[in-house]
Amino acid sequence: MAKINLPERAQYVIVGGGIVGCSVAYHLAKMGHTDIVLLEQGQLSCGTTWHAAGLVGQLRSQPAMTNLIKYSTELYAQLEAETGLATGWKQCGSVTVARTDDRMTMLLRTAAAARAQGVEVEVISPSEAQEKWPVMQVDDVLGGLWMPSDGKANPTDLTQSLAKGARMRGAKIIEGVQVTDVLTKDGAVTGVVTDQGTIEAQVVVNCAGQWARSLGKMCGVNVPLHSAEHMYIVTERIEGVNPDLPVLRDPDGYIYFKEETGGLVMGGFEPQAKPWAMDGIPDKFYFQLLPDDWEQFEILLENALIRVPQMEHTGVRKFYNGPESFTPDNNYLLGEAPELKNFFVGAGFNSMGIASAGGAGRALAEWIVEGAATSDLFAVDIRRFANFNNNPTWLHDRVKETLGLHYAMPWPNRELETARPFRRSALFDRLAGKGAVFGSKMGWERANWFANEGQKRETEYSFGRQNWHENVAAEHKSTRDGVSIFDQSSFAKLLVQGRDACAQLNRICAANVDVAVGTTVYTGLLNERGGFESDLTVLRRNEQEFLLITGSAQPVHDADWIRKNFSKDAHVFLTDVTSAWSVLAVMGPKSRAVLRKVSKANFSNATFPFGSSQEIDLGYATVIANRMTYVGELGWELIVPVEFTVGVYENLMRAGAEFGLRDAGYYALDGLRIEKGYRAWGRELTPDITPLQAGLGFAVDFAKPDDFIGKAALLAAKADPAHFNTRIVQLVLEDGAAQLWGGEAVSCDGAEIGEVRSAAYGHTFGASVALCLIEAEEKITADFLKNHRFQIDLAGVKYVAKAYLRTPYDPKNERPKSED
């Protein structure tokens, strides 16, 4: 083979010529950047893209992800006119059917969410579903959804069209070049080594699909994904099947259908997947398939014959068994790697690459050029994972489950079951022995609720009240009226030290952290748009040392954000010390009495005011006590060295017995904080929401001496009345029986105005309570909320709700912090 002449250097080198890599190249070029080299080890689309089914469904559980796919459909619709190459895009719509009452409830919830997100949707009867898809039988169907804007595309044609669009604007696309190493210097990427020579690069983008994990390992970057076999068949012609047939999804049967040359493509997502290539993906696995596996495919075929009886007498033209990569949570990986500057990742698309590629490619291109995400992308941000998530044994076991999540019932509070238990706090065994039912976040096993003696220790999922409702009511009441203890050890802890620590943090934090030693400050970390990159508490331990406590899901993200915003020559150091400290939160009106029994410290308001921390004795242990609350009651977070945790817990339980101290879990914690109107990052607080819109203006210090990130945007927003047309508000249902979970549509005077971001049953109110993002055509004020009628759409039934900017529950002088 003739040697390929590579350029010596390029501003951007993209590794991988599938649809995502070509989309990134296209969008970088469209933004005016022409010094782009895309390297493909085989031919464009030869890895996973070529055998993708090509379904494009718009609606996703997160509005930000839906918006990316909506953009994909717009792009695909006009790309052929731009490049002259067909894409196979057809807006044929999609039908999703339900076989069970629970699935129908889910579809009704989906319809409300779609309306809230601006996606056209219609709830249809079985006969209407059959009219749109005549070749199916509907005797067992209860109803369905019609989404007219969904469609399908030809993955290979679409990739070639994106590639041509990139070339037309100056990008170089070179096939037959394998990357063998990634070059780095001083913590940044500097280029790639290939089998055809070396290319220097300012930015390297890893769009290597199944090979993305191994490419990351070349330069110390963790890309947690694993391949699994993914199968579908193409049938011979079937009477009644025509090119205009919509996509059909039957999630109760784990299956989907689309038309192809007069026959059907039928595939699906079996509940237990079959991981592939534990020892690594073969280098030259181009345009290849794996052996047919009818045994693995059997559950899908059985369900297909139920839905389309004609298939029993129809031949199979082709069996496709093409491996695809899946991530631990079924969302793809996007963004700059925290381990290596200027090394970006776009991979792990979980059989959603065709639908997502247009929007994801644009989002990643903007991230590369702007230096930060330009919208809320945390659901797919690579920094939501840590290095331990890249463990191959753990990945293998987790991916067995995540492939099946595509069509698994998305129950409220659904927990993943595989590769657990994973990370355990010092109290895991103690809490398990007391009836804890655990959930998982960032790998941590966390007590969600506590079962009574003799009660089944398992969450029974439903869309109504679940089996833990009364247990959590008791935990809730204990916290409001007495005292409870929460194991919050999963909270991340970041230690920032150095002579420039204060000045650097004060520029990164919106609040003023240049405070007296022993003071605790609640603050947001804002982007240049004034939106939240995180929110956290800052404990000033001494003049040059600060302990930051942030959410369980955020340690990698937050540490990366803070480090990247340190000045280059600053004398400041950040260390993740999460595993060194447990956090035990003692909360409730009787918390002071409990602590006085185990410590000689003075817990009075005068000596230990809200928003302060002290090192105290507690039994034999010495711990940090931080007077802060996430439930809105008197209480202290005890930050305990891990080796003292069990002893401290035992002392607290003994001392607390006379006060009724009881264990409480995260379901109670969430309900308590929602009642109090405390915002949570990733739900109410996002990179697109400012403190002014969130009602957290008190946590911004415009008067502190030096500038801070996002200040200019916030000052402009304060002067713009339209900025307050978007707000976070609290809604409380008038009906005490309905159960909200989040994601429901909110209407104002009958028109959709927003969505529920967080919800729980508020036992203090005796009704469900929600924190909602709403957008109006005028400034949202207390008077606006009083003068309009609000409802929440719960599976097609609209419930009247009362709206508040501030919670009606007495704040009791405890101020909020938002962590989860």
Side-chain angles (χ1 to χ4, degrees):
M1 185 178 71
K3 183 172 176 63
I4 298 170
N5 290 321
L6 297 181
E8 292 182 0
R9 60 188 56 84
Q11 185 175 8
Y12 306 105
V13 170
I14 300 168
V15 183
I19 191 169
V20 177
C22 289
S23 179
V24 175
Y26 171 86
H27 285 96
L28 282 172
K30 197 171 184 180
M31 293 168 71
H33 299 261
T34 58
D35 191 8
I36 302 164
V37 174
L38 184 149
L39 302 176
E40 165 53 50
Q41 62 180 345
Q43 298 174 37
L44 295 185
S45 79
C46 72
T48 293
T49 298
W50 74 276
H51 61 71
L55 310 186
V56 181
Q58 292 184 67
L59 190 65
R60 294 292 182 263
S61 57
Q62 296 96 353
M65 300 302 99
T66 299
N67 289 335
L68 293 186
I69 299 178
K70 286 168 72 174
Y71 168 77
S72 291
T73 63
E74 295 164 7
L75 173 66
Y76 300 164
Q78 57 85 33
L79 197 58
E80 181 175 350
E82 177 186 332
T83 66
L85 291 182
T87 63
W89 166 249
K90 187 173 183 63
Q91 185 179 312
C92 57
S94 73
V95 175
T96 303
V97 296
R99 303 186 187 191
T100 66
D101 290 334
D102 283 331
R103 183 69 66 174
M104 196 64 222
T105 298
M106 189 276 288
L107 292 187
L108 291 169
R109 291 173 59 86
T110 299
R115 288 191 289 269
Q117 295 181 35
V119 176
E120 192 177 353
V121 65
E122 181 184 347
V123 178
I124 56 178
S125 67
S127 60
E128 290 171 323
Q130 191 173 44
E131 285 176 21
K132 295 185 182 298
W133 223 85
V135 292
M136 72 167 160
Q137 71 81 22
V138 294
D139 292 348
D140 60 339
V141 169
L142 302 182
L145 288 188
W146 165 241
M147 304 187 74
S149 298
D150 286 356
K152 59 185 179 179
N154 182 301
T156 300
D157 290 350
L158 193 51
T159 302
Q160 293 290 348
S161 191
L162 286 165
K164 184 174 181 183
R167 286 192 189 101
M168 288 165 59
R169 293 176 170 87
K172 296 181 181 68
I173 296 179
I174 307 173
E175 298 175 307
V177 177
Q178 183 181 357
V179 173
T180 58
D181 201 4
V182 179
L183 302 176
T184 66
K185 184 179 180 181
D186 298 330
V189 72
T190 59
V192 297
V193 179
T194 80
D195 57 1
Q196 304 289 322
T198 297
I199 306 178
E200 295 178 16
Q202 295 176 30
V203 171
V204 173
V205 189
N206 179 357
C207 296
Q210 300 183 94
W211 293 269
R213 183 173 180 271
S214 59
L215 185 70
K217 290 182 73 174
M218 293 177 187
C219 53
V221 169
N222 290 289
V223 183
L225 53 79
H226 199 295
S227 285
E229 299 186 21
H230 184 49
M231 306 166 202
Y232 65 85
I233 59 173
V234 183
T235 74
E236 301 288 355
R237 288 182 174 274
I238 295 177
E239 185 179 351
V241 172
N242 63 72
D244 295 325
L245 199 68
V247 170
L248 175 67
R249 294 179 178 88
D250 178 4
D252 290 312
Y254 322 114
I255 52 176
Y256 61 77
F257 301 84
K258 76 163 188 173
E259 182 274 341
E260 185 165 304
T261 59
L264 291 174
V265 169
M266 187 284 289
F269 300 93
E270 63 272 27
Q272 285 292 313
K274 187 179 177 184
W276 178 69
M278 274 298 293
D279 297 325
I281 314 297
D283 285 340
K284 299 190 183 299
F285 195 81
Y286 313 148
F287 295 115
Q288 291 186 54
L289 296 172
L290 301 174
D292 299 355
D293 189 340
W294 289 99
E295 184 176 348
Q296 179 74 11
F297 196 69
E298 183 178 11
I299 188 170
L300 305 182
L301 186 59
E302 287 176 349
N303 279 287
L305 293 175
I306 291 171
R307 188 60 47 233
V308 185
Q310 280 179 263
M311 283 183 60
E312 188 171 356
H313 309 292
T314 305
V316 174
R317 190 185 312 160
K318 180 71 175 175
F319 188 117
Y320 285 86
N321 183 4
E324 298 186 24
S325 55
F326 292 82
T327 65
D329 65 357
N330 213 32
N331 280 338
Y332 51 90
L333 306 170
L334 214 65
E336 186 176 16
E339 302 95 337
L340 184 63
K341 186 174 174 58
N342 295 331
F343 186 87
F344 288 81
V345 178
F349 278 80
N350 308 287
S351 288
M352 295 184 294
I354 308 306
S356 303
R362 183 182 70 169
L364 188 54
E366 291 174 348
W367 195 330
I368 291 166
V369 171
E370 299 295 331
T374 56
S375 61
D376 177 13
L377 295 174
F378 188 70
V380 294
D381 193 323
I382 192 169
R383 295 170 296 179
R384 71 190 186 276
F385 293 120
N387 60 348
F388 49 74
N389 293 116
N390 205 28
N391 176 294
T393 305
W394 184 84
L395 275 174
H396 172 273
D397 290 353
R398 172 54 58 89
V399 162
K400 287 181 180 178
E401 182 179 15
T402 56
L403 179 146
L405 294 180
H406 281 271
Y407 289 167
M409 187 72 78
W411 297 115
N413 296 322
R414 189 184 192 281
E415 296 281 353
L416 297 181
E417 299 173 356
T418 51
R420 293 179 57 195
F422 195 29
R423 303 173 79 187
R424 311 182 205 191
S425 82
L427 297 179
F428 176 83
D429 288 342
R430 299 293 173 113
L431 301 183
K434 296 171 77 172
V437 180
F438 292 94
S440 176
K441 192 158 195 176
M442 196 57 171
W444 286 100
E445 298 293 329
R446 312 195 309 177
N448 281 336
W449 59 283
F450 287 83
N452 298 324
E453 190 168 344
Q455 185 180 5
K456 189 177 182 181
R457 297 186 180 186
E458 181 180 317
T459 295
E460 296 174 357
Y461 298 124
S462 77
F463 289 110
R465 292 183 182 177
Q466 297 181 355
N467 63 318
W468 44 263
H469 182 84
E470 294 303 325
N471 302 69
V472 170
E475 296 171 23
H476 189 121
K477 181 175 175 56
S478 171
T479 311
R480 287 277 185 252
D481 299 338
V483 59
S484 301
I485 185 167
F486 300 83
D487 181 6
Q488 296 178 345
S489 299
S490 65
F491 276 179
K493 305 106 190 165
L494 306 174
L495 187 65
V496 179
Q497 300 168 288
R499 62 174 174 267
D500 296 327
C502 182
Q504 292 293 305
L505 282 177
N506 227 16
R507 184 173 49 79
I508 295 169
C509 296
N512 190 352
V513 300
D514 190 3
V515 291
V517 172
T519 302
T520 299
V521 178
Y522 168 70
T523 183
L525 308 184
L526 307 183
N527 54 41
E528 294 290 356
R529 307 191 309 278
F532 282 91
E533 288 296 327
S534 184
D535 75 324
L536 43 77
T537 48
V538 180
L539 284 68
R540 189 164 199 176
R541 302 292 300 133
N542 59 46
E543 290 300 316
Q544 297 187 8
E545 182 177 297
F546 297 80
L547 182 63
L548 281 54
I549 301 181
T550 187
S552 307
Q554 297 147 243
V556 178
H557 172 276
D558 287 9
D560 183 65
W561 177 264
I562 293 167
R563 285 192 184 106
K564 281 179 176 162
N565 282 290
F566 283 153
S567 299
K568 187 176 180 182
D569 299 324
H571 185 269
V572 62
F573 310 93
L574 184 150
T575 308
D576 187 332
V577 295
T578 300
S579 297
W581 300 90
S582 300
V583 177
L584 304 182
V586 181
M587 295 287 155
K590 298 178 182 178
S591 57
R592 181 181 279 121
V594 173
L595 291 172
R596 281 173 170 163
K597 295 218 32 164
V598 291
S599 175
K600 296 178 174 58
N602 187 336
F603 294 96
S604 68
N605 280 326
T607 305
F608 209 142
F610 183 86
S612 65
S613 66
Q614 299 177 24
E615 194 168 81
I616 67 167
D617 65 286
L618 202 161
Y620 295 146
T622 301
V623 308
I624 300 168
N626 180 35
R627 188 168 169 196
M628 187 63 66
T629 180
Y630 195 37
V631 300
E633 301 296 341
L634 175 70
W636 280 261
E637 293 174 346
L638 305 176
I639 304 166
V640 184
V642 166
E643 64 270 27
F644 294 130
T645 304
V646 172
V648 166
Y649 177 77
E650 290 174 340
N651 284 339
L652 287 169
M653 294 309 292
R654 279 194 295 267
E658 67 179 278
F659 304 103
L661 175 65
R662 68 178 295 158
D663 295 286
Y666 271 82
Y667 288 171
L669 188 74
D670 207 39
L672 291 159
R673 72 99 184 164
I674 294 170
E675 273 193 345
K676 292 288 292 186
Y678 293 173
R679 283 52 165 149
W681 192 82
R683 289 193 259 180
E684 292 75 49
L685 309 182
T686 76
D688 298 327
I689 296 294
T690 71
L692 307 177
Q693 294 167 325
L696 296 177
F698 71 85
V700 179
D701 188 348
F702 289 100
K704 63 181 176 177
D706 298 315
D707 199 6
F708 62 87
I709 298 170
K711 180 178 180 179
L714 289 187
L715 287 173
K718 283 181 76 174
D720 179 10
H723 186 71
F724 297 91
N725 293 6
T726 299
R727 296 295 299 267
I728 299 294
V729 302
Q730 187 181 52
L731 296 183
V732 181
L733 293 187
E734 291 185 359
D735 186 311
Q739 176 70 56
L740 299 177
W741 294 110
E744 297 88 358
V746 177
S747 64
C748 175
D749 299 336
E752 270 80 20
I753 194 174
E755 67 164 7
V756 175
R757 287 298 178 94
S758 296
Y761 195 84
H763 293 280
T764 306
F765 298 130
S768 284
V769 58
L771 294 175
C772 310
L773 174 65
I774 64 172
E775 298 181 39
E777 294 181 358
E778 61 184 278
K779 185 175 181 180
I780 297 170
T781 62
D783 284 341
F784 173 89
L785 299 182
K786 284 180 188 174
N787 295 333
H788 294 275
R789 185 170 185 264
F790 291 88
Q791 294 175 301
I792 295 178
D793 186 327
L794 180 56
V797 179
K798 291 194 173 183
Y799 289 87
V800 176
K802 191 162 184 181
Y804 304 90
L805 284 178
R806 299 187 63 178
T807 179
Y809 183 70
D810 173 23
K812 295 186 178 178
N813 298 316
E814 298 292 343
R815 294 181 67 186
K817 86 172 179 185
S818 174
E819 291 171 5
D820 186 19

